Amino acid sequence: CQAAGVRGYPTIKWYGGGSGGSGEDYGGARTADAFEGFVASRARPPPPEPAQLTSPGALARTCLSPATRLCLIAFLPALADTTASDRRVALETLTAAAAPFAGRPYAWAWAAAGDHPPLEAAVGVGGYGWPALVAVVPPTKKPGGGDDATTPAKVAHLKGAFDADGLRSFIEGARTGRVGAAPVAGELRVEAEVAEWDGKDAADGGAGGGDDEFSLADLGLA
């Protein structure tokens, strides 16, 4: 109490990022509403929910927003090659990895493999399997360079496992410059409009689903 400067009771203090070893004194009203407001103003923002890139506008609102300093894009297997359950797990993994970076000027997005070939080509994914994750530093205007003068966008690729630890390590490395980045191969763009995922498997049952292409009875296996 002496170290924290407590001189009377009850004393309420907040200990959080930047509050220091002595904490921050609470000086508001002693009511539930006042406590809630105080905590809400200081608590970590909720983890962002990755946005599906369904259209050119979705890309503009996420990666190409003037407020975005780093954009993380996950490319997940098409539903023809996976299940809804596996896709949900991948999205939950990405959300969990994003949680420690909540409140930072980062954007979080995802797309299904094959939905946006121009974007895949620009960031260099598709040749090493799915799911894939890239960290994109969007193009920015050069100070005093005129409207057309911009620094080129750069991209870094996740090389490790697509799991919570691997993603957090990659994101931390990308944002601090410890992960090597290369110029984007062309313009960051989305041309097609795709339907928002409804959370279900593909209409034909997805990976491992649907009817057999032949009768097992014909092979004597029924």
Side-chain angles (χ1 to χ4, degrees):
C1 290
Q2 183 178 9
V6 176
R7 296 180 176 84
Y9 303 96
T11 293
I12 300 172
K13 287 180 172 286
W14 169 270
Y15 287 87
S19 61
S22 61
E24 175 190 352
D25 288 324
Y26 173 75
R30 306 299 174 90
T31 65
D33 287 343
F35 283 142
E36 273 191 357
F38 177 81
V39 173
S41 69
R42 287 157 177 78
R44 181 183 296 275
E49 183 176 349
Q52 183 182 359
L53 297 179
T54 57
S55 66
L59 181 68
R61 290 189 297 271
T62 53
C63 280
L64 302 183
S65 166
T68 299
R69 296 292 177 267
L70 187 68
C71 184
L72 287 299
I73 309 175
F75 293 87
L76 307 181
L79 286 177
D81 302 317
T82 190
T83 64
S85 177
D86 287 342
R87 177 175 285 186
R88 279 193 292 271
V89 168
L91 290 173
E92 289 167 0
T93 300
L94 182 60
T95 299
F101 308 98
R104 296 182 180 273
Y106 303 160
W108 308 83
W110 70 276
D115 276 355
H116 306 298
L119 181 62
E120 293 177 9
V123 299
V125 301
Y128 54 90
W130 316 104
L133 180 69
V134 297
V136 178
V137 179
T140 56
K141 296 284 183 67
K142 295 179 180 178
D147 292 340
D148 296 330
T150 60
T151 58
K154 293 185 177 182
V155 61
H157 298 81
L158 171 71
K159 299 297 185 182
F162 196 98
D163 58 28
D165 290 339
L167 266 59
R168 287 196 191 101
S169 177
F170 168 70
I171 296 165
E172 182 66 26
R175 77 180 193 87
T176 57
R178 296 200 306 270
V179 174
V184 168
E187 181 184 359
L188 291 170
R189 72 183 193 276
V190 162
E191 295 178 348
E193 294 199 10
V194 298
E196 184 175 352
W197 182 45
D198 60 6
K200 301 177 181 178
D201 284 310
D204 62 356
D211 296 330
D212 294 318
E213 295 181 0
F214 48 81
S215 172
L216 296 179
D218 294 339
L219 302 180
L221 300 176

